[in-house]
Amino acid sequence: MSAVLQLKNVHKAFAGVPALAGVDAALMDNSYVSLLGPSGSGKTTLLRVIAGFEQPDGGEILFAGRRIDGVPPHERGIGFVFQNFALFPHLSVAQNIAFGLENRAVAPVTDAKAVTARVRDMIGLVGLTGLEDRAVTQISGGQKQRVALARTLVTEPSMVLLDEPLGALDANLRTRMRGELRTIRERCGVTFLHVTGSETEALAMGDTVLVLDRGRIAQATDAGTLYSRPASADVARFLNCYNIFSGAVSGNVFESPVGRLALGGVRQASGRPAYAIRYDRVAIRPRDAAAAGDEVRIEASFVASEYSGAAINSFFTLDDGRVFEVETHLSHAAPEAFEEKARYALVWKREDALVFV
Amino acid sequence: MTMAATSHDTPVETAAPSTRRQPDRTYWLLAPGVLWMLLFLVAPILMMVYVSFWTQTTFKIEPTLTLKSWITFFSSDTYLGALWTTVRIWLIVLVSTLLVGYPAALFVGLFVKNKTLSTALLVLCVIPFWTSFLIRVLAWRPMLGKEGAINMILMKLGIVTQPIEVLLFSELSVIIGMTQIYCVFMVGPIAFMLGRIDPSVIEAAQDLGASFWRIFRTIILPLSMPGVVVGAIFVSVMVLGEFATSAALSGRKVNLLGNIIVTQVGSLKWAFAAVAGVVLTILMGAVVAALLRVVDLRKEL
Amino acid sequence: MNASGIKLGLGLYTTLFIVFLYGPLVVLAILSFQTGPEGGPQFPIIEWSTYWYKHLFGLTPPSRIAPLPIEQALVRSLALAVMTMIVSTVLGVTAAQAFRKKFRGSGVVFYLIVLGMMVPGVLVGLGMALVANTLGVDRHWWGTAFVLHVVYTFPFAFLVMLAIFNRFDPSVEEAAWSLGVTPARTFRKITFPLIFPGVLSAMLFAFTLSYDEFSRTLFASGRDLTLPLAIYGTFSVEVHPNVFAFGVLTTLFSFALLGTYAVLMGLSVRRAKRMAIQEEA
């Protein structure tokens, strides 16, 4: 496999405010790439720069080995699926899908039969059969999503950019579309670059996940690695499954606001010292239970619990007032009833913690 | 891992990036319109200024620069009288359109809660614009004339025994005509601004026991000021450039700067017409600038 | 505070205000049915008749009252209005399209365009007459007057289109580009069909403003009269009810135009609404 898209030190500022501050990345051919970032991280800007809707202030963009920064969007051959779908409201479903084939500047398909056949195949692929002649204002959100995708895929781009494609759908549909997007991509063999603000979506969908933070790629790796080994405290924070303490390492302990935490695991260089422990690595014990030798123990008062499917999340207040979250999988044990405002011991293995130095 | 940090020395086929095409396209799109305005709007106005300094002989003008036309203008009672009449009529019409239009705007913009009804009322105000302007002016003749509708009604009601002659072919008829024709330009912007007032603000003031007059003075009037200024700009620009209404309804008794220009052009006194035109331009520029001073429109709209 | 009393008072006032706006037109319409040729433009109505309407079309026996020179003038006015409508709409759409991007000097260009509707007709008309005289160009309704009509109506078309583009979602254009369609073709196939209702409004504005324009035309059109100039010519002479009859007819013509526009707009709006309803269902 080779890189289909390469970004080298891409810069972009709006009215002096930097949106992209030197983005470097390479996207492999025929893969599903998620681009995760909090709002304001510049992820939509990056997508629009790749598509050619915005010009970068500096840096290089290489697509299929060719430099494309400065090339107008319609000469790039990169598909784009908008968050609001941006369907052509005056055209029917079939006309929307046929539009690119018939009107593109390079190799337009003029034979009406060929167009019809390819549109029919594509409508079948995305599961819209029977809706060909509907107006796009007459179909549901999920169907609009499919039209947007079909309209792009039928032109056979080698890469498709998806800007929060599931953002406008309701929760049920979002889950279903995740699977469908992956299936459709595999069948077409194109690279998807899927922008999202949701860490679960990014982790679920991407073969590779890029994490964008303040205009830079903070980490680029597969979902498993990202989840267990975030490259910095900030990345860990976006993943929304780590309790993070700031502080400093001194010898074999981490000096945190809630006390000295003994160190045991790996240390990663990240520029800013921090200590992170994943929600589901923490055990809740009665206050009088002692910690084993390889364990770290802190105390906190219980606030509330919240069910989320197969897991239960419990919230505690630490001595410095911050909230500490623990995720207990219900397959491990029946849910325990904790007493509000009572003190409990929160315990985890030293080596489970991530230490950034 | 499918991801690799990119090295900056990868050899690439470099396509000459044709950057920054967009601004060029913007200028091409603008060029025809801008050119049109420069050639057919700015150039004629500049020409008018230039010609006002030409030498006027009986039937033609010569491009010898002189201040003679200007001196003639400012030493002639007729021209100065026209300038004064223009200013006077403008001020009176401005005030009368405001007085006549404001209550109607208040009703449409603030008191009519039903959106359809207020739209219908505004449409009703605009419909007369679909009749020729000149016809609307002319329509005042059978209204105001000695044997016109108003005199007829007044006499039938026994309010007057003799027809009122001053109604037509007087300054009054010009003012009445202009007020009717232009007051809609006052009503529209004011009603628009009043429509944006949050009704709960007024209700809150009512609950606190404020009288209507007090609410009007402290809330409604200040918030409608931008509308008044926009309306005043519309009315001023149109009234200052007027000549048709006075030509139709004053029987040559009211001569505005516009009428002076028309007569001077009619008798081929181009330089005098140009002087009157420049004076009118300056007057109008001053009025609009002054009105824009009163309210910062960009801030308000 | 007596809110309902004030509301009642203002309501009554507004009724009077509407009467004030319409009264003269109603009187004019009534008097257009005055008998002719001896009946004058005043009350009382001696006898109801359609004499003056026939008079307009030259269907009455010749009398001392000369018929209005409307036939030629009507053709000229319509031709002028159509020419103006086309040119100013094209200019308005292109200029508004340019304004979708921020560019340096946009403020100056904006005011330059808007100036066209602010400067009184008598001033530009005079200026244009002077320019034409100096250059030795003959003044014609299809030349000097036409360019001034565009100067006047182009700003209206521009402002209408500016408002339309403000509400236009640019992502549909970007979507078309990303499918490999050139900007020019995108404009033709996507943008234009979507802004068409706005274009229709701009055209309506330009047409009616030009059709009714006379202060610019007065100095710039030379010998041949347009319709408003023909009416303006009657100002200095005795007015006969034939002018009133003519006023009624032009008003009806305007309403027919407005009706056509309303039907065209209604069709597209209803289509959109029908779709919206089905979507909700």
Side-chain angles (χ1 to χ4, degrees):
Chain A
M1 283 207 288
S2 59
V4 62
L5 181 83
Q6 284 175 281
L7 304 173
K8 295 181 182 178
N9 196 24
V10 173
H11 281 268
K12 174 77 185 171
F14 290 106
V17 182
L20 302 176
V23 173
D24 287 296
L27 269 59
M28 290 300 126
D29 200 12
N30 192 8
S31 64
Y32 204 121
V33 183
S34 300
L35 179 62
L36 172 67
S39 56
S41 61
K43 51 191 197 300
T44 295
T45 305
L46 180 58
L47 221 54
R48 292 179 59 82
V49 163
I50 297 171
F53 302 148
E54 309 279 356
Q55 295 295 328
D57 298 335
E60 287 179 22
I61 304 170
L62 299 151
F63 179 61
R66 188 169 74 106
R67 183 145 178 210
I68 57 163
D69 40 306
V71 173
H74 68 278
E75 288 170 19
R76 294 194 177 194
I78 298 176
F80 200 108
V81 174
F82 290 83
Q83 182 173 14
N84 66 356
F85 314 131
L87 300 181
F88 308 129
H90 58 306
L91 302 179
S92 71
V93 167
Q95 285 169 329
N96 260 276
I97 298 172
F99 184 81
L101 282 182
E102 291 172 333
N103 292 291
R104 63 184 172 196
V106 181
V109 183
T110 46
D111 177 22
K113 268 190 204 152
V115 172
T116 319
R118 286 177 65 174
V119 168
R120 200 192 321 113
D121 291 349
M122 189 46 70
I123 283 179
L125 177 72
V126 298
L128 283 172
T129 313
L131 297 175
E132 289 87 346
D133 296 324
R134 285 279 192 94
V136 291
T137 42
Q138 276 178 284
I139 56 178
S140 70
Q143 291 164 339
K144 285 181 186 168
Q145 169 74 78
R146 286 160 216 257
V147 176
L149 199 60
R151 176 178 73 179
T152 301
L153 290 176
V154 78
T155 61
E156 297 178 343
S158 30
M159 185 167 79
V160 177
L161 311 172
L162 303 102
D163 186 13
E164 310 219 18
L166 308 179
L169 306 180
D170 61 53
N172 266 333
L173 199 55
R174 209 177 301 159
T175 322
R176 219 172 70 215
M177 281 308 290
R178 276 189 202 171
E180 289 204 26
L181 275 179
R182 284 193 66 94
T183 320
I184 291 168
R185 191 207 70 75
E186 272 159 32
R187 267 191 244 165
C188 299
V190 302
T191 298
F192 272 21
L193 177 58
H194 175 139
V195 158
T196 176
S198 147
E199 70 288 346
T200 42
E201 198 172 297
L203 293 169
M205 310 219 37
D207 302 324
T208 306
V209 182
L210 305 181
V211 182
L212 194 65
D213 178 27
R214 277 162 289 175
R216 280 199 185 83
I217 300 288
Q219 193 168 8
T221 181
D222 63 287
T225 313
L226 180 67
Y227 193 65
S228 51
R229 285 255 176 278
S232 69
D234 284 327
V235 174
R237 193 169 290 121
F238 305 150
L239 293 174
N240 225 2
C241 59
Y242 281 90
N243 294 300
I244 296 159
F245 301 105
S246 53
V249 175
S250 86
N252 236 2
V253 288
F254 188 86
E255 306 268 6
S256 84
V258 291
R260 298 154 67 90
L261 309 171
L263 299 181
V266 222
R267 301 179 190 193
Q268 298 181 59
S270 86
R272 242 173 353 133
Y275 183 98
I277 180 68
R278 228 161 81 184
Y279 297 164
D280 61 347
R281 297 291 193 201
V282 184
I284 307 165
R285 303 213 183 121
R287 196 181 170 188
D288 46 14
D294 62 342
E295 284 179 337
V296 179
R297 178 185 182 279
I298 58 173
E299 276 187 29
S301 10
F302 177 73
V303 179
S305 292
E306 190 174 88
Y307 280 93
S308 56
I312 182 166
N313 287 49
S314 308
F315 300 92
F316 294 84
T317 325
L318 299 178
D319 295 339
D320 66 342
R322 290 199 329 172
V323 174
F324 191 94
E325 195 174 340
V326 180
E327 184 177 311
T328 317
H329 285 269
L330 296 180
S331 54
H332 299 166
E336 276 181 77
F338 300 114
E339 200 182 321
E340 202 176 322
K341 289 192 181 154
R343 305 274 294 175
Y344 289 93
L346 304 172
V347 176
W348 60 87
K349 287 205 164 102
R350 282 180 193 173
E351 72 235 38
D352 284 343
L354 297 175
V355 181
F356 302 104
V357 290
Chain B
M1 231 170 74
T2 49
M3 192 59 217
T6 44
S7 52
H8 283 255
D9 52 3
T10 317
V12 284
E13 162 201 339
T14 320
S18 52
T19 41
R20 306 286 178 270
R21 268 204 223 175
Q22 248 58 338
D24 288 352
R25 216 183 55 135
T26 300
Y27 293 128
W28 277 114
L29 285 171
L30 280 176
V34 169
L35 214 61
W36 196 287
M37 288 319 219
L38 288 177
L39 283 179
F40 305 130
L41 174 63
V42 177
I45 297 290
L46 293 179
M47 188 71 196
M48 181 180 74
V49 177
Y50 183 40
V51 169
S52 74
F53 294 104
W54 285 14
T55 309
Q56 175 80 55
T57 58
T58 316
F59 289 117
K60 57 180 191 181
I61 36 168
E62 277 159 17
T64 322
L65 296 187
T66 169
L67 279 173
K68 236 177 116 198
S69 306
W70 280 92
I71 293 164
T72 314
F73 183 94
F74 281 104
S75 53
S76 148
D77 285 345
T78 323
Y79 295 149
L80 289 179
L83 179 59
W84 166 233
T85 310
T86 309
V87 173
R88 190 177 63 235
I89 296 265
W90 159 65
L91 278 172
I92 294 172
V93 172
L94 193 61
V95 171
S96 66
T97 48
L98 184 62
L99 290 180
V100 169
Y102 202 101
L106 197 59
F107 183 69
V108 174
L110 204 62
F111 280 84
V112 178
K113 300 280 196 294
N114 183 334
K115 195 102 177 138
T116 324
L117 182 60
S118 73
T119 312
L121 283 172
L122 281 178
V123 168
L124 212 56
C125 291
V126 177
I127 283 178
F129 284 86
W130 290 84
T131 309
S132 162
F133 170 84
L134 296 164
I135 298 283
R136 275 183 293 140
V137 173
L138 217 52
W140 277 105
R141 283 208 196 172
M143 275 300 271
L144 298 173
K146 212 169 129 187
E147 295 163 298
I150 289 179
N151 270 325
M152 196 182 70
I153 293 169
L154 288 179
M155 283 181 22
K156 279 250 170 79
L157 292 175
I159 295 170
V160 293
T161 48
Q162 287 282 311
I164 310 170
E165 294 202 27
V166 75
L167 278 182
L168 188 60
F169 299 133
S170 62
E171 195 167 308
L172 180 65
S173 56
V174 175
I175 290 166
I176 293 176
M178 285 190 181
T179 304
Q180 185 236 12
I181 286 166
Y182 297 121
C183 64
V184 172
F185 291 97
M186 207 48 120
V187 173
I190 296 175
F192 175 76
M193 289 310 295
L194 289 174
R196 301 207 310 189
I197 297 179
D198 184 355
S200 62
V201 174
I202 292 172
E203 275 160 27
Q206 278 172 14
D207 292 346
L208 294 172
S211 70
F212 177 78
W213 176 238
R214 194 179 159 79
I215 292 174
F216 179 77
R217 247 189 19 230
T218 53
I219 302 173
I220 300 175
L221 193 61
L223 287 174
S224 67
M225 267 320 272
V228 173
V229 170
V230 172
I233 290 176
F234 282 152
V235 172
S236 302
V237 164
M238 282 179 288
V239 170
L240 288 172
E242 257 279 15
F243 62 90
T245 308
S246 47
L249 299 180
S250 81
R252 292 176 183 272
K253 288 199 191 83
V254 175
N255 278 309
L256 304 175
L257 280 175
N259 299 91
I260 296 289
I261 295 174
V262 174
T263 15
Q264 296 300 328
V265 169
S267 50
L268 301 178
K269 298 271 195 286
W270 294 104
F272 292 146
V275 171
V278 176
V279 171
L280 186 53
T281 312
I282 293 168
L283 178 61
M284 190 139 34
V287 166
V288 172
L291 284 171
L292 286 175
R293 277 277 166 97
V294 177
V295 170
D296 184 359
L297 278 185
R298 278 203 205 148
K299 214 174 73 190
E300 298 283 355
L301 288 178
Chain C
M1 153 178 155
N2 188 356
S4 59
I6 289 166
K7 183 169 179 177
L8 188 71
L10 283 175
L12 280 174
Y13 177 84
T14 307
T15 316
L16 279 177
F17 177 78
I18 301 277
V19 169
F20 175 58
L21 288 184
Y22 281 84
L25 289 173
V26 172
V27 168
L28 176 132
I30 293 171
L31 284 174
S32 74
F33 292 102
Q34 179 72 286
T35 185
E38 61 285 345
Q42 67 264 328
F43 289 102
I45 297 279
I46 300 164
E47 194 185 337
W48 297 94
S49 90
T50 52
Y51 174 87
W52 295 108
Y53 289 88
K54 291 180 191 143
H55 185 270
L56 275 183
F57 296 100
L59 301 173
T60 52
S63 62
R64 65 176 181 91
I65 296 151
L68 280 178
I70 57 165
E71 205 174 305
Q72 289 286 307
L74 179 68
V75 174
R76 282 186 211 114
S77 272
L78 286 177
L80 181 56
V82 169
M83 284 160 60
T84 306
M85 173 183 84
I86 293 169
V87 173
S88 58
T89 307
V90 169
L91 288 178
V93 172
T94 46
Q97 168 81 11
F99 266 82
R100 293 175 62 190
K101 276 211 156 50
K102 285 196 185 117
F103 62 92
R104 278 179 41 167
S106 61
V108 176
V109 175
F110 180 84
Y111 283 114
L112 175 68
I113 295 174
V114 171
L115 200 63
M117 60 192 262
M118 299 292 271
V119 176
V122 68
L123 292 181
V124 252
L126 172 63
M128 181 51 81
L130 294 171
V131 170
N133 282 354
T134 313
L135 299 178
V137 179
D138 279 345
R139 285 174 279 156
H140 288 289
W141 61 269
W142 45 262
T144 40
F146 160 67
V147 296
L148 290 188
H149 277 219
V150 174
V151 163
Y152 177 47
T153 56
F154 160 44
F156 286 91
F158 169 70
L159 290 180
V160 169
M161 293 319 298
L162 217 53
I164 294 291
F165 278 129
N166 263 342
R167 288 180 298 164
F168 184 80
D169 176 12
S171 63
V172 293
E173 291 177 318
E174 289 169 348
W177 301 339
S178 74
L179 295 173
V181 183
T182 61
R185 200 171 171 86
T186 300
F187 183 83
R188 200 154 60 79
K189 290 284 200 169
I190 300 294
T191 317
F192 191 76
L194 293 179
I195 61 169
F196 187 70
V199 174
L200 215 57
S201 307
M203 284 167 73
L204 182 78
F205 258 107
F207 185 92
T208 48
L209 287 171
S210 163
Y211 183 70
D212 195 25
E213 214 296 322
F214 71 97
S215 56
R216 289 161 184 80
T217 331
L218 182 63
F219 293 149
S221 76
R223 192 174 286 282
D224 297 330
L225 298 183
T226 61
L227 210 45
L229 289 187
I231 303 172
Y232 182 72
T234 66
F235 277 24
S236 49
V237 297
E238 199 190 343
V239 171
H240 297 285
N242 59 345
V243 184
F244 299 171
F246 175 72
V248 171
L249 288 183
T250 52
T251 308
L252 290 179
F253 173 76
S254 295
F255 286 164
L257 197 72
L258 195 62
T260 317
Y261 167 81
V263 167
L264 283 176
M265 284 299 272
L267 280 179
S268 61
V269 169
R270 212 166 57 195
R271 221 180 94 215
K273 211 178 238 171
R274 200 177 59 224
M275 287 169 176
I277 287 165
Q278 278 172 353
E279 191 176 17
E280 266 171 43

